[in-house]
Amino acid sequence: MRALIFDCDGVLAETEGDLHLPAFNQALDEFGFATTWSADEYADRLMIGGGKERIASLLTPAFVAARGLPTDPVEQRTLVAAVHARKTDLLGELLRDLNLVARPGVNRLAREALAAGWKLAVASTSAKPAVTAIVRRVLDPEIVEAIAIFAADDVQAKKPDPAIYRLALEGLNVAPEDAVAIEDSHIGVLAATGAGIRCLVTPSLFTASEDFSAAFRVVPDLNSVSLTDLDPA
């Protein structure tokens, strides 16, 4: 049995600039963080796996004091969770009005894998409602029916920790050597390879300059990739 495991954001579709970044910025503004991430600043935050973790990275003592935010760790965790929940809701609202499409070759390769008897999954550090909404928007209906979704809500440690990929392997009942991951980021490659999975990279608009040396192949998109290229055998 073989498995093809996709990351979501930046792999299935270019979602960071038009969905995640504006949703983060609006949620941060609504909760009094008084900060706006530029595209470059957000690219740096993407090196941190997980939306809650990116929000929490802002809470330095100086930042908290300047904005009158809670200093108690428990209150900070509650605040981060609330901001992230609002960000997820905002992403859903933005998605409804956005003409989001799959990146080139994604649906074609997934259909080929499905026809060949491969298992399909998504392994993402984004919240499951966001991942599910994007999957349903950009993937063909027969793929949506067949694909398993593993997301940030399912694990404690986020990428580059391999926990999400280990969970995917367990859920799919597939050995690491029989799976291939498709990622777009350095931390994603580290997570996949840390779980013993070969990783192919299709860099996204926000990750093109990152280090992909641990991947077995880097391609502009999946148009040039066949199932034979991915077969672990």
Side-chain angles (χ1 to χ4, degrees):
M1 183 62 68
R2 303 281 190 261
L4 181 58
I5 308 174
F6 295 91
D7 177 40
C8 180
D9 298 299
V11 171
L12 298 182
E14 290 283 6
T15 56
E16 298 294 2
D18 292 331
L19 282 175
H20 286 280
L21 178 54
F24 270 118
N25 279 337
Q26 184 173 336
L28 291 170
D29 179 67
E30 289 181 6
F31 279 82
F33 278 58
T35 191
T36 299
W37 284 332
S38 68
D40 287 342
E41 289 169 333
Y42 185 59
D44 291 337
R45 299 290 171 179
L46 288 177
M47 297 299 292
I48 302 170
K52 292 187 185 75
E53 289 75 8
R54 290 170 196 151
I55 296 166
S57 71
L58 287 168
L59 298 179
T60 64
F63 187 96
V64 167
R67 289 154 178 83
L69 297 174
T71 58
D72 178 74
V74 174
E75 292 181 11
Q76 286 188 353
R77 287 194 294 272
T78 300
L79 174 62
V80 167
V83 175
H84 188 259
R86 176 60 176 149
K87 177 260 175 181
T88 300
D89 289 342
L90 288 166
L91 186 144
E93 294 173 12
L94 289 168
L95 183 59
R96 285 195 291 269
D97 298 325
L98 185 66
N99 183 28
L100 189 69
V101 296
R103 288 189 65 189
V106 168
N107 276 299
R108 187 265 310 159
L109 186 62
R111 285 195 305 270
E112 289 182 8
L114 198 58
W118 288 42
K119 295 183 178 181
L120 298 177
V122 173
S124 172
T125 56
S126 290
K128 185 166 284 187
V131 177
T132 301
I134 292 166
V135 164
R136 289 176 177 170
R137 172 63 68 86
V138 304
L139 295 183
D140 293 343
E142 66 269 28
I143 300 169
V144 174
E145 287 294 318
I147 201 163
I149 296 175
F150 303 92
D153 318 62
D154 300 321
V155 292
Q156 292 296 316
K158 309 302 190 298
K159 298 176 185 177
D161 190 282
I164 192 68
Y165 277 105
R166 288 175 176 156
L167 180 65
L169 292 172
E170 180 182 352
L172 296 172
N173 194 26
V174 172
E177 60 270 21
D178 292 325
V180 177
I182 300 179
E183 277 282 356
D184 73 310
S185 69
H186 174 65
I187 62 171
V189 174
L190 294 182
T193 56
I197 303 171
R198 297 165 67 243
C199 186
L200 178 141
V201 168
T202 57
S204 64
L205 295 175
F206 277 80
T207 63
S209 63
E210 294 184 9
D211 175 17
F212 304 125
S213 56
F216 75 87
R217 186 177 174 188
V218 180
V219 296
D221 57 52
L222 295 179
N223 265 343
S224 61
V225 178
S226 70
L227 201 60
T228 303
D229 297 326
L230 302 182
D231 197 331

